[in-house]
Amino acid sequence: MSSIPVPEEILVNILLRLPFKAISLCRCVCKLWYTLLSNPSFVKTHYDLSIEKNYPNTILRADVNGKHAIYSIIYDPLSSSLSASRCEIHYPFETKGKVEILGSSNGLLCIHVGEYFDESTICIWNPTTKEYKRVPKSPNNQFPCDLIMHDFMNAYGFCYDCRIDDYKFIKVVGFIGVPSRSGVQVYKLGSDSWSTHRFIPYYFPCNTRRLGITVHESLHWLARPGVESYLQESPDVIVSFNICEERFDALAFPASVENENVIKEQELGALDGCLCLLLQDPNCRVDLWVMREYGVRESWSILFSTTHDLVVDHHIRSNFLVYSFENDEVLLGNFDSFILYNPRYDRAKTVTIPGIRGSGEVESYLTSLFSLNSRTYVGEDDRIED
């Protein structure tokens, strides 16, 4: 690179520390810089550095005055304050109305736009670069014709398969009147195609969060073992999907939780790379369990237990975990608001966003330069040309 007055290694080191907007401007300097800054190795290293140095962006889907919109939540570690940007993030096909977040991986989000029963507009989207790719509709004829899909009993996951260097979108399909099993479809971004996998002996109730939690190269959902009739009682289980091997397994709850004959509201989450379970019981107590060693039942331990009246509310659905910060505070979401809880001092405060009631759907992602190679962008002004 004789035309550059500094060695390439030094130049790359400097550019890696620039934010996305600055890198976008640098790509316009010349073809040489555009090639350098678009190199997959540069993009991967830039993302790895952002993991080490930055707090994730938290994206919020909320309804404001009857309009569906996406906002970002910003945490300032220096002031220990939480605030939300009222600047809307424009997303693909937003004129179709409702948007639903189905998962995130490496700074990419998978979203569904439009009516609940219409899955014709599912996109993989990079909010940083504004690039998106529309996922083709999953074929219905991959299952026996006597099985009718149940629109309210589906589950989804979006993940990166490091073994084949590709992204996968997982769809777990429930069937009307068939609580004994679910079907599984997998979309691969690289081939832009769907494949059908074997049935699994689980079903996903209507009140289950449909978003899979990614931990230890696996997706996780709360589900129930298959039964012959909905009248049969079936305890919740943690169902895992190994991303690389495409294998389903079940993980055990903490032994003391299974032995308690108490109905609890429960949600899955992730903390520092560990699977966690947030439980809320009728006795005004919320417990956060963490699986310290993946797959080992005995490694479940309680990170905190609280009866704080801001965290526990019988009139709302269970809290769910949004993020954990370095000062040990955790951000929880529920139907009405966000809650910033400090387990060390058992202190909680409600975080409200002006003009927004409720936390809607929340997902975290890190700024990334990963490309979908689709050349389709949200807004023509955001498109990068060769």
Side-chain angles (χ1 to χ4, degrees), residues 148-362:
I148 303 173
M149 294 186 185
H150 195 310
D151 294 300
F152 286 109
M153 297 180 68
N154 294 341
Y156 302 94
F158 179 63
C159 54
Y160 173 71
D161 186 336
C162 61
R163 182 178 297 180
I164 60 175
D165 188 25
D166 199 3
Y167 292 89
K168 295 177 179 178
F169 172 54
I170 317 300
K171 179 181 178 182
V172 184
V173 182
F175 304 104
I176 295 177
V178 185
S180 60
R181 56 181 172 167
S182 298
V184 182
Q185 294 176 302
V186 178
Y187 167 80
K188 293 181 181 178
L189 178 63
S191 61
D192 193 30
S193 62
W194 286 90
S195 61
T196 297
H197 288 243
R198 60 181 174 83
F199 291 100
I200 57 174
Y202 305 100
Y203 75 97
F204 296 77
C206 299
N207 62 347
T208 300
R209 289 189 76 203
R210 308 200 299 164
L211 172 64
I213 302 297
T214 304
V215 171
H216 203 268
E217 298 185 350
S218 296
L219 285 163
H220 303 82
W221 303 268
L222 287 173
R224 292 179 181 171
V227 290
E228 292 301 318
S229 169
Y230 288 114
L231 297 177
Q232 295 176 254
E233 293 187 4
S234 180
D236 287 348
V237 295
I238 301 173
V239 175
S240 69
F241 172 78
N242 185 286
I243 295 169
C244 296
E245 299 178 7
E246 298 191 356
R247 184 188 71 249
F248 280 87
D249 292 301
L251 296 178
F253 279 88
S256 61
V257 172
E258 282 193 348
N259 294 334
E260 289 183 16
N261 190 22
V262 177
I263 298 176
K264 298 174 180 282
E265 294 288 341
Q266 50 201 21
E267 295 287 356
L268 292 178
L271 278 178
D272 299 324
C274 296
L275 185 67
C276 62
L277 180 66
L278 195 68
L279 298 176
Q280 179 173 319
D281 68 18
N283 297 319
C284 300
R285 191 183 76 195
V286 171
D287 297 332
L288 180 61
W289 289 80
V290 179
M291 180 179 272
R292 300 294 184 183
E293 186 176 349
Y294 185 79
V296 179
R297 183 178 192 175
E298 292 73 21
S299 71
W300 281 109
S301 62
I302 292 183
L303 183 64
F304 69 76
S305 180
T306 180
T307 56
H308 200 293
D309 57 358
L310 280 181
V311 178
V312 182
D313 188 337
H314 292 300
H315 302 291
I316 58 175
R317 66 179 175 84
S318 175
N319 299 287
F320 59 90
L321 183 67
V322 177
Y323 190 66
S324 172
F325 302 109
E326 289 181 358
N327 62 358
D328 296 330
E329 290 182 324
V330 292
L331 180 64
L332 305 172
N334 57 45
F335 182 76
D336 282 334
S337 62
F338 289 98
I339 300 166
L340 194 61
Y341 177 66
N342 189 317
R344 182 181 300 177
Y345 302 105
D346 192 27
R347 295 174 183 170
K349 62 180 179 180
T350 301
V351 179
T352 58
I353 304 172
I356 298 178
R357 174 179 170 80
S359 59
E361 291 166 350
V362 180

Side-chain angles (χ1 to χ4, degrees), residues 79-90:
S79 64
S80 297
S81 64
L82 194 68
S83 62
S85 169
R86 285 307 307 270
C87 180
E88 288 188 34
I89 302 175
H90 295 288

